[in-house]
Amino acid sequence: YQRRVAIKAGQDRKIVKLKESLGKELRSRSKEKERYELLTRQFDSYKENIVNEMTPLDKALNNSVTIDQINDIRHLVSSRNLEPILINEDKLNTIQRIISGMLEGVIPISNPQNLAFTERQKQFMRELQNLSSDNIKDYITDNLDEFFTILDMSLKLVVKAFNKYGQTVYK
């Protein structure tokens, strides 16, 4: 009987130590979680400040588009294949970055081409640049003529310039 009591007392001490250890671990994890949440809030605040301080040109340069992305969008636009664009969030974001780059002069459009844009097309580009991802699909489908005309002629020029001066030739 005494042996059982001694074993039981030993087990009770082990349980108490395990509970203490578990309590320390939970407190430690809680502190880590608090630090993580604090750093996340600080980072988000920093990001918001950076974005708010950026000029439109800074935003256009920061959100650059690769020639492969431009060529992919160009092929879809030239074939008037709208469905793959509207169902793909990345393609919609790419279009917004292209439009932003065109408006800020980062993506080259020639001066005669810039003058060829109607005021409605310029307004379309300004509005498209600032839309949320929820509204961009409806805006594009409501303004298909402007969408296809602007992107088709602009992206042809970009690819033509790249083919002339770049290392890869796109068809």
Side-chain angles (χ1 to χ4, degrees):
Y1 173 79
Q2 289 178 346
R3 187 165 184 230
R4 278 193 237 160
V5 170
I7 291 173
K8 177 76 170 131
Q11 289 174 342
D12 288 345
R13 280 189 297 256
K14 285 182 182 178
I15 290 173
V16 168
K17 286 183 182 180
L18 285 172
K19 283 183 180 179
E20 288 174 0
S21 176
L22 181 60
K24 287 179 186 177
E25 180 69 25
L26 290 175
R27 284 190 295 278
S28 173
R29 286 187 183 183
S30 177
K31 288 180 184 178
E32 287 176 14
K33 183 178 178 185
E34 288 173 15
R35 278 186 287 211
Y36 172 78
E37 289 171 353
L38 174 65
L39 289 172
T40 301
R41 284 192 305 274
Q42 288 174 341
F43 179 72
D44 289 344
S45 174
Y46 175 75
K47 255 187 350 188
E48 287 175 21
N49 289 339
I50 293 291
V51 169
N52 290 337
E53 293 172 4
M54 292 175 82
T55 66
L57 179 59
D58 291 333
K59 289 178 184 176
L61 288 170
N62 192 40
N63 292 314
S64 61
V65 182
T66 68
I67 190 67
D68 290 330
Q69 290 171 313
I70 288 173
N71 200 46
D72 184 34
I73 297 294
R74 183 181 68 89
H75 280 296
L76 293 171
V77 167
S78 66
S79 67
R80 301 222 178 235
N81 194 355
L82 190 60
E83 189 65 27
I85 294 171
L86 294 179
I87 62 171
N88 188 319
E89 191 79 24
D90 289 337
K91 288 191 185 342
L92 291 171
N93 290 334
T94 299
I95 288 171
Q96 281 186 304
R97 292 193 320 264
I98 289 170
I99 295 292
S100 179
M102 288 167 46
L103 286 170
E104 297 304 324
V106 177
I107 293 179
I109 52 177
S110 65
N111 204 23
Q113 181 185 0
N114 194 15
L115 295 175
F117 287 136
T118 66
E119 193 54 43
R120 177 160 167 70
Q121 289 171 331
K122 290 176 185 177
Q123 184 63 32
F124 168 82
M125 291 166 63
R126 283 187 217 103
E127 290 175 9
L128 182 68
Q129 175 186 12
N130 296 316
L131 286 174
S132 69
S133 59
D134 295 334
N135 297 328
I136 192 170
K137 294 175 189 177
D138 292 335
Y139 190 73
I140 288 173
T141 54
D142 291 344
N143 299 283
L144 282 177
D145 286 340
E146 280 82 17
F147 175 75
F148 285 125
T149 302
I150 290 168
L151 285 177
D152 192 39
M153 69 181 180
S154 300
L155 297 182
K156 279 180 186 174
L157 178 67
V158 171
V159 171
K160 183 178 178 182
F162 185 82
N163 285 342
K164 186 174 182 180
Y165 301 107
Q167 296 176 354
T168 306
V169 175
Y170 290 95
K171 296 180 180 185

